[in-house]
């Protein structure tokens, strides 16, 4: 559904960082706008469009991959192993990027939405079913944040979300980009998802990462109120995984019409076991 924001009287096309100073009470950031225009926001009178800042969607570096907040889901999903980054040469094979397209497919969205919705929007909405958020958490990404008044701060995405629709962005701040380290891009990954209906919102999404040094991380999202990462020195044995899952407190399991907490906890255990087994095979 597309909603007219009839209280908005001004749209600012941001051309430089100074234009972001307008963000505050009564003002919202506009990127893809897929959520912004999906329901009324009567408190808004101004939108600041950040797509006009001209940020490159994907940028390689010696440290890994930088993903702009304005990178669309289509650009994100298309950055799989062996794909082009808009440059004349192909980048190295990075198995970890397989999570990009898989996470986008976990969203209940058409390919038209993929060409509009942005990575930054999915992360900043901070919804339990934010699958792109989950993928970046699974790959140990860091958010680069531009606070109001200048400067820059960085925060691990595993610590960014504090609850459904809640995060540590801060008033007037904007996410500039997400940094994915090379070690994660070179990692072996595994992905599992379950929903109550074939095209329904995800009830649980579990992603695993196994790095070259053998360390393993299993990330749970959609089933919990915020992404949860379980870290292991190696691929966990079934008993280790069961023990780690048991430490997730009852209040962390999400409850809505797309799945009851006890069901989410149960299916997450099954998916996590499959992820761990697949990562073990990769060794």
């Amino acid at each position: 559904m597309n909603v007219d924001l009839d209280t908005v009287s001004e749209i600012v096309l941001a051309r430089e960082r100074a234009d972001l100073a307008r963000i505050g009470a009564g003002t919202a950031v506009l990127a893809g706008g897929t959520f912004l225009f999906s329901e009324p926001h009567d408190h808004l009178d101004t939108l600041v469009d950040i797509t006009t800042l001209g940020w490159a969607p994907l940028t390689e570096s010696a440290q890994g991959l930088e993903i702009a907040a304005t990178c669309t889901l289509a650009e994100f999903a298309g950055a799989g192993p062996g794909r082009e980054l808009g440059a004349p040469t192909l980048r190295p094979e990075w198995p970890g990027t397989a999570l990009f397209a898989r996470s986008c497919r976990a969203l209940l969205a058409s390919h038209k939405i993929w060409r509009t919705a942005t990575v930054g929007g999915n992360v900043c909405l901070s919804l339990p079913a934010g699958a792109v958020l989950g993928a970046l958490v699974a790959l140990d990404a860091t958010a680069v944040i531009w606070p109001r008044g200048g400067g820059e701060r960085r925060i691990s995405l595993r610590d960014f979300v504090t609850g459904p629709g809640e995060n540590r962005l801060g008033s007037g701040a904007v996410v500039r980009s997400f940094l994915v380290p090379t070690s994660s891009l070179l990692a072996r990954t595994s992905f599992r998802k379950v929903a109550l209906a074939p095209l329904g919102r995800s009830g649980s999404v579990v992603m695993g990462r196994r790095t070259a040094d053998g360390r393993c991380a299993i990330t749970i999202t959609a089933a919990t109120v915020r992404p949860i990462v379980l870290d292991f020195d190696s691929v966990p044995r079934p008993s280790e995984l069961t023990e780690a899952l048991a430490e997730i407190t009852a209040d962390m399991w999400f409850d809505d019409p797309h799945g009851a907490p006890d069901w989410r906890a149960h299916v997450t255990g099954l998916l996590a076991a499959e992820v761990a087994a697949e990562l073990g095979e990769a060794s």
Side-chain angles (χ1 to χ4, degrees), residues 194-255:
V194 68
L196 287 175
L199 296 178
R201 184 177 298 174
S202 300
S204 179
V205 176
V206 179
M207 289 173 261
R209 180 186 83 246
R210 184 178 183 275
T211 51
D213 60 4
R215 296 184 64 83
C216 178
I218 293 180
T219 298
I220 301 164
T221 189
T224 49
V225 296
R226 60 174 175 79
I228 291 179
V229 183
L230 306 177
D231 293 301
F232 303 93
D233 292 332
S234 60
V235 176
R237 297 188 300 271
S239 59
E240 291 178 298
L241 185 57
T242 299
E243 182 178 346
L245 288 168
E247 293 181 0
I248 301 175
T249 57
D251 62 319
M252 290 300 297
W253 297 105
F254 192 51
D255 185 9

Side-chain angles (χ1 to χ4, degrees), residues 38 95-96 113 193:
S38 69
I113 296 297
K193 172 205 165 181

Side-chain angles (χ1 to χ4, degrees), residues 3-223:
V3 175
D4 291 330
L5 302 180
D6 53 14
T7 60
V8 172
S9 59
E10 182 181 12
I11 297 179
V12 177
L13 302 182
R15 304 293 184 183
E16 55 188 6
R17 182 169 179 176
D19 295 326
L20 303 181
R22 295 286 301 275
I23 299 171
T27 303
V29 172
L30 171 64
T34 52
F35 170 76
L36 192 61
F37 289 98
S38 69
E39 59 183 52
H41 299 281
D42 295 338
H43 65 290
L44 296 178
D45 55 43
T46 304
L47 302 180
V48 177
D49 188 341
I50 64 172
T51 64
T52 49
L53 287 166
W55 296 336
L58 301 151
T59 305
E60 291 183 59
S61 72
Q63 289 73 43
L65 180 65
E66 181 176 20
I67 304 165
T70 51
C71 175
T72 66
L73 299 192
E75 292 165 330
F76 180 72
R83 299 294 185 87
E84 291 188 7
L85 285 179
T89 58
L90 294 177
R91 59 185 171 80
E93 292 293 319
W94 283 340
T97 60
L99 291 182
F100 291 2
R102 288 176 180 174
S103 66
C104 288
R105 295 190 189 102
L107 296 170
L108 187 60
S110 69
H111 284 273
K112 291 181 179 179
I113 296 297
W114 280 25
R115 291 193 289 270
T116 304
T118 62
V119 172
N122 188 263
V123 171
C124 290
L125 277 177
S126 303
L127 300 178
V132 171
L133 163 66
L136 291 176
V137 171
L139 293 171
D140 200 26
T142 297
V144 178
I145 297 173
W146 282 0
R148 180 197 297 275
E152 175 183 293
R153 64 185 177 96
R154 300 188 179 196
I155 182 172
S156 171
L157 269 191
R158 68 166 65 190
D159 300 319
F160 181 73
V161 177
T162 58
E166 301 173 349
N167 58 53
R168 292 191 169 98
L169 179 59
S171 177
V174 172
V175 173
R176 167 62 180 87
S177 61
F178 307 96
L179 307 177
V180 183
T182 300
S183 59
S184 294
L185 296 168
L186 292 172
R188 299 296 177 185
T189 62
S190 179
F191 179 96
R192 294 291 189 279
K193 172 205 165 181
V194 68
L196 287 175
L199 296 178
R201 184 177 298 174
S202 300
S204 179
V205 176
V206 179
M207 289 173 261
R209 180 186 83 246
R210 184 178 183 275
T211 51
D213 60 4
R215 296 184 64 83
C216 178
I218 293 180
T219 298
I220 301 164
T221 189

